[in-house]
Amino acid sequence: SRQPIGLPAFPLIDAVARIAQLFGSSGDMAFAGGSDSSAHSKHATNGGSAEVGSRLGPHVPPGLVGPGYDFVDGKVVKRPEKSVQLPGDAWVVKTVGKVLSAKRTGDSSFLLQCEGSTKVLVTFYRMDIVRVQLAWDGDFDDPAKEIVVGEPTPKDLRVEMQDLGQFFDFQAQGHEGAVRLRAEKEPLRLALFRGSSQTPVWAEQSGLSRNGTATFQTLAAAPDEAFFGGGMQNGYFSHRDHVINIAVSYNWDDGGSPNAAPFYISSAGYGVFRCTWAEGTYDFRSPNIIAHKEQRFDAFYFAGAPRDFKGLLEGYTYITGRPFMPPVYALGIGDSDCYHNNRHGNNTNVALSVMEEYRQWNMPLGWMLVNDGYGCGYGEGPKEFPSTMSTLSHVSKGLLGDGVVTGLWSGTDFSHVASEVSDGRVRVLKTDVAWVGGGGKFAFDAVEDCVAGIENNSDARRFIWTVEGWAGTHRNAVMWTGDNYGSFESIRWQVPTFAGCGFSAQAHVSADIDGIFGGSAETQVRDLQWKCFTTVLMSMSGWSTANPDKQPFSWGEPYASINRMYLSLKMRLTPYFYSISRIAYELGTPPIRAMVMEFPDDDFLLQPSVGSGQQFMAGPAFLVAPVYKALEETKVRDDIYLPAGDWVDFWSGAILSGPQHLYGYEVPLEKLPVFVRAGAIIPMWPAMRYAGELPVDTLTLDIYPDGKSSFELYEDDGVTRAHEKGDFAKTPIVCTAPGQAMKNGGVVNVTVGPTVGRYRDQLQKRTYMVKLHVAEAPSEVFLHTSSGVTKLKAMGSKSALGWEQRGWFYDRTMAYFANPYSYTFSSWQQAFSTTGQDCSTGDCPPWHHQVLIVKVPTEIGDKFELTINVRTAHSAKFASNAGEFLPQVHLSRLFLDDSAAAEPVAARAAAVATAHIHGAGGLVVPAAVEEQQVSMALSSSGASSAAWYWGWPRFQGVAVGTSEARVQTQYLGGSWCMNQRSDTCSGPARHVLIVIIMPLFFRDGRRKECGGPTA
């Protein structure tokens, strides 16, 4: 009868013993023994021995070394571990006693008087948010009030209290899912319910307790319950059966917590925010023991449906503030270095030369930190901490003239921030860990000072970079992982780190591209690739002995051109990432999402694995699986997990159905595994090097039709805070199509609603280029506007469509990129393309799918709808097997002879069961016999004879005159074998060579080798 919630009490002495493992005699927290003592160090960092001891050094000068570290011989080193010796009062435990009385103290608050002087204050902030504060001596304090920005809503909220004998019930009214807090009277134990449910969302197994070190809460955990959050926990996103550190650790590698947050989320449908500056440990070894080093207790509880992670984040950010809305230039790559030092001639003007190098390499660049180094100010000449405003103004003006925004590192001096922002045009600030490294309130206030420095002296938005952040820092700053090595190991642990940050509303997170130490050409490319699918990214030069310059062109070719391709793609994706950044600003949902956040019903994604933690969702559309192994180790990416639904290989156009795990996915250096979710609508700018270089009066909508899907395009002036006053616009975009329309066709409707809202310099007219990924050309395309219905004209070429005001064209061409492994580069070779484009400028789209392009001019504020009747003549020939690749061009190496002006492109696969060629006449070739040649004549106008080959060895060139043919295969398993230079291939006994008939145009008669995503 003492346990009405049906849970046995957890022996308090066990909880204290576990607390003892986590707190040493000095009060410092440490992982000291226990089953989890090595859980967060199972992946050692492979840094170079010459720099290992100093990796914390650049941003932690003498005299400002964190707890657990010493400064020895100019290096920061970790102290030897000590055995845990508890202070004398550590085992003296006090647990809150029985409840003596309860009374209302406000519209939504209640006070519980417990035995002795202990009081508990219960305050409802919303129907789904309740706060519990405990004061052992009866005097409540609120030392962390700066974190909280949300207020109770008594006008919209009614809360009733009931005395039910053995417990009190406090019930929010007016909504079926409103929270109900139950307080068992003797002794006090709390439980949270939703609505009338008798199953608790969470329940205490022991009452709130304290010892001489900490106050802690012990909560029951279901066997299948998973836990996320805690801020930036390096290397981890899911914490079941682990202990995480909520404290300043100065460990910026795997297992560290450079931006911890006292907040976690449960898959059971609740979140907990401990409103405190005190350090803590969260022990998720059932039952959960949540402890902070303070003699008070203050927690906000958020309730929602099970696995409603986005809804819980909305509640958390209602209390702690929404993530900041970045300026549009923040989404471009940033460059940081000390340009006033001996290496650069003690002259900040060198930053202008570096900017010119970016432009000479045709590289995008959004902003620069021009003094990122200790003792590095801005000016000319060898002066310590110079602050020559005329030099700063000159550099800023020069950078801004080419679209680049200036930033400063606060390691110089913060006393000049007013003039640096107003006169020096500084719009980016990065905190120095010597300033903020103590963490807690001091670091929080420092970031707030940076925000005030920008916003009190200009109309610009905050754009701050910091480390040692806390709850609430997300509303002010980018949080990055600190000083890391450029290595594949760093890429490995950073991927789950970024994904996990989203569970604490850390919407904009980053790590220096290829670290600041170590690094290589290959790790730079691999690291930059996946970070181009995050919102913010930066390179930091000057620290590495391998190559002190970390710019994306610093390793030369072919690496620079691969980096250019991804940076150019990132610039094109700006309206997509800007729009989902607005979602974070309004609701708290992060742009970079753990797989389980986007697919909460998939049980596989709850626990850490390669398929759940080594990939992420970039918004709702992109699944990104970074490559974290060297090519010399493996040339494939294994265990890519595709959740339920259809997915499109971003590079090849292959359609795959989930759930399934992909193994053996080939990843030449230029290829990052990226898959687009069926139904995605992706707005894209024209290719440009910085925001504002070109007008965005033509906007591409890249659409992958499948059922009903939508996207809301967000726009504002991009730089000022006018959006906070309502100066912005939103445009709804909806696509309605049959399921699997990309395969089967059918009637597809695309509706672009009227743009609602206004802002400075808003466009009044815009042309939409609607790119629809469908397997067949449409029979008809209709445009519906307020003026009526118009049947759009089909154009014979993309160029003709470019000239006409409106119309459509079905594009079957494929853009090719030269393989970086094919040449010794003195200069980047022009890429081969059926359209003749020079892809070295980054203007070529990185995909080459068959797409329908519809051009529609419109007035801002008008609505239009497209009805596209996609042919389904060949739909019956499409395989439905989950392992199909259609249409599939998935190659690593090709050998093409100069024996013909145009040649077939060859690919070999294992275990191909069926193969069909769909030409203009719809010809189907059944399963062929090896070593047999089948000839055919395509019926399209002007087509010459072509050849279809099976078997091996390699075939010589065959001249063809059409690009209308398309190959479809059903892939039943086995491994791809396409990386051999010889005519033999290991693997299954039966091999099939597929020849895709496609004209290729050579610039000269030399033998060429091309591959990767090129074909």
Side-chain angles (χ1 to χ4, degrees), residues 333-337 339 344 347-370 394-406 539 541 549 551-553 689-690 693:
I333 185 174
D335 175 281
S336 65
D337 197 353
Y339 293 109
H344 292 301
N347 193 334
T348 307
N349 288 294
V350 172
L352 296 173
S353 297
V354 174
M355 183 269 290
E356 285 297 329
E357 286 189 85
Y358 273 91
R359 297 307 179 229
Q360 290 167 10
W361 284 92
N362 203 30
M363 290 280 187
L365 176 64
W367 51 278
M368 295 182 73
L369 293 178
V370 299
H394 176 260
V395 170
S396 295
K397 183 178 179 180
L399 293 177
L400 195 60
D402 212 348
V404 179
V405 175
T406 301
S539 67
S541 300
D549 293 313
Q551 288 87 6
F553 48 79
R689 297 171 301 175
Y690 58 86
E693 182 181 24

Side-chain angles (χ1 to χ4, degrees), residues 197-233:
S197 172
Q198 295 304 307
T199 302
V201 177
W202 60 257
E204 291 182 333
Q205 284 197 231
S206 300
L208 295 171
S209 304
R210 63 167 175 162
N211 61 9
T213 304
T215 298
F216 50 94
Q217 184 176 38
T218 304
L219 297 180
D224 60 348
E225 195 171 352
F227 305 96
F228 311 93
M232 184 178 282
Q233 298 288 328

Side-chain angles (χ1 to χ4, degrees), residues 265 269 516 572 639 788:
I265 284 180
I516 70 169
R572 293 206 66 200
D639 203 5

Side-chain angles (χ1 to χ4, degrees), residues 581-660:
S581 294
R582 183 68 185 192
I583 294 174
Y585 177 79
E586 293 180 351
L587 298 174
T589 303
I592 306 308
R593 304 168 187 174
M595 295 297 298
V596 72
M597 185 178 291
E598 201 63 23
F599 299 93
D601 295 329
D602 192 327
D603 292 343
F604 169 76
L605 298 172
L606 287 173
Q607 298 301 329
S609 68
V610 173
S612 63
Q614 295 304 140
Q615 59 187 60
F616 62 90
M617 292 296 296
F622 294 105
L623 188 158
V624 183
V627 178
Y628 55 94
K629 294 182 180 179
L631 283 169
E632 65 179 6
E633 180 180 351
T634 178
K635 292 179 172 58
V636 299
R637 174 63 155 83
D638 285 325
D639 203 5
I640 301 171
Y641 179 68
L642 304 180
D646 281 349
W647 297 86
V648 180
D649 187 313
F650 187 67
W651 307 109
S652 72
I655 302 174
L656 302 97
S657 296
Q660 67 162 310

Side-chain angles (χ1 to χ4, degrees), residues 142 228 334 357 439 669 821:
D142 195 3
F228 311 93
E357 286 189 85
L669 185 60
Y821 295 110

Side-chain angles (χ1 to χ4, degrees), residues 856-869:
V856 181
T858 185
E859 299 274 345
I860 295 297
D862 288 350
K863 171 185 175 180
F864 72 84
E865 181 176 348
L866 295 171
T867 300
I868 302 108
N869 297 317

Side-chain angles (χ1 to χ4, degrees), residues 195-412:
S196 60
S197 172
Q198 295 304 307
T199 302
V201 177
W202 60 257
E204 291 182 333
Q205 284 197 231
S206 300
L208 295 171
S209 304
R210 63 167 175 162
N211 61 9
T213 304
T215 298
F216 50 94
Q217 184 176 38
T218 304
L219 297 180
D224 60 348
E225 195 171 352
F227 305 96
F228 311 93
M232 184 178 282
Q233 298 288 328
N234 283 358
Y236 301 88
F237 80 99
S238 182
H239 307 310
R240 172 80 190 204
D241 297 324
H242 289 277
V243 181
I244 62 173
N245 197 20
I246 309 298
V248 175
S249 68
Y250 298 102
N251 178 4
W252 293 345
D253 292 315
D254 188 17
S257 54
N259 294 281
F263 172 74
Y264 73 92
I265 284 180
S266 164
S267 61
Y270 74 90
V272 182
F273 161 52
R274 289 286 288 268
C275 186
T276 180
W277 298 118
E279 297 181 345
T281 53
Y282 293 1
D283 186 343
F284 294 110
R285 298 172 293 181
S286 181
N288 300 338
I289 302 175
I290 311 302
H292 278 272
K293 285 172 49 180
E294 60 181 350
Q295 296 297 299
R296 59 184 289 275
F297 181 87
D298 188 352
F300 285 83
Y301 299 95
F302 311 89
R307 305 191 190 186
D308 183 11
F309 304 117
K310 295 178 183 178
L312 293 171
L313 284 171
E314 189 281 327
Y316 172 62
T317 56
Y318 172 79
I319 294 298
T320 59
R322 309 294 193 199
F324 73 97
M325 182 66 199
V328 69
Y329 52 78
L331 304 187
I333 185 174
D335 175 281
S336 65
D337 197 353
C338 172
Y339 293 109
H340 187 279
N341 61 10
N342 291 334
R343 192 167 80 95
H344 292 301
N346 292 301
N347 193 334
T348 307
N349 288 294
V350 172
L352 296 173
S353 297
V354 174
M355 183 269 290
E356 285 297 329
E357 286 189 85
Y358 273 91
R359 297 307 179 229
Q360 290 167 10
W361 284 92
N362 203 30
M363 290 280 187
L365 176 64
W367 51 278
M368 295 182 73
L369 293 178
V370 299
N371 71 326
D372 200 6
Y374 283 105
C376 184
Y378 44 85
E380 301 177 47
K383 180 182 178 182
E384 189 74 7
F385 284 115
S387 54
T388 309
M389 191 58 60
S390 60
T391 302
L392 179 63
S393 298
H394 176 260
V395 170
S396 295
K397 183 178 179 180
L399 293 177
L400 195 60
D402 212 348
V404 179
V405 175
T406 301
L408 291 177
W409 183 37
S410 63
T412 303

Side-chain angles (χ1 to χ4, degrees), residues 27 60 79 174 723 810:
V60 187
R79 296 173 191 155
H723 71 99
Y810 188 64

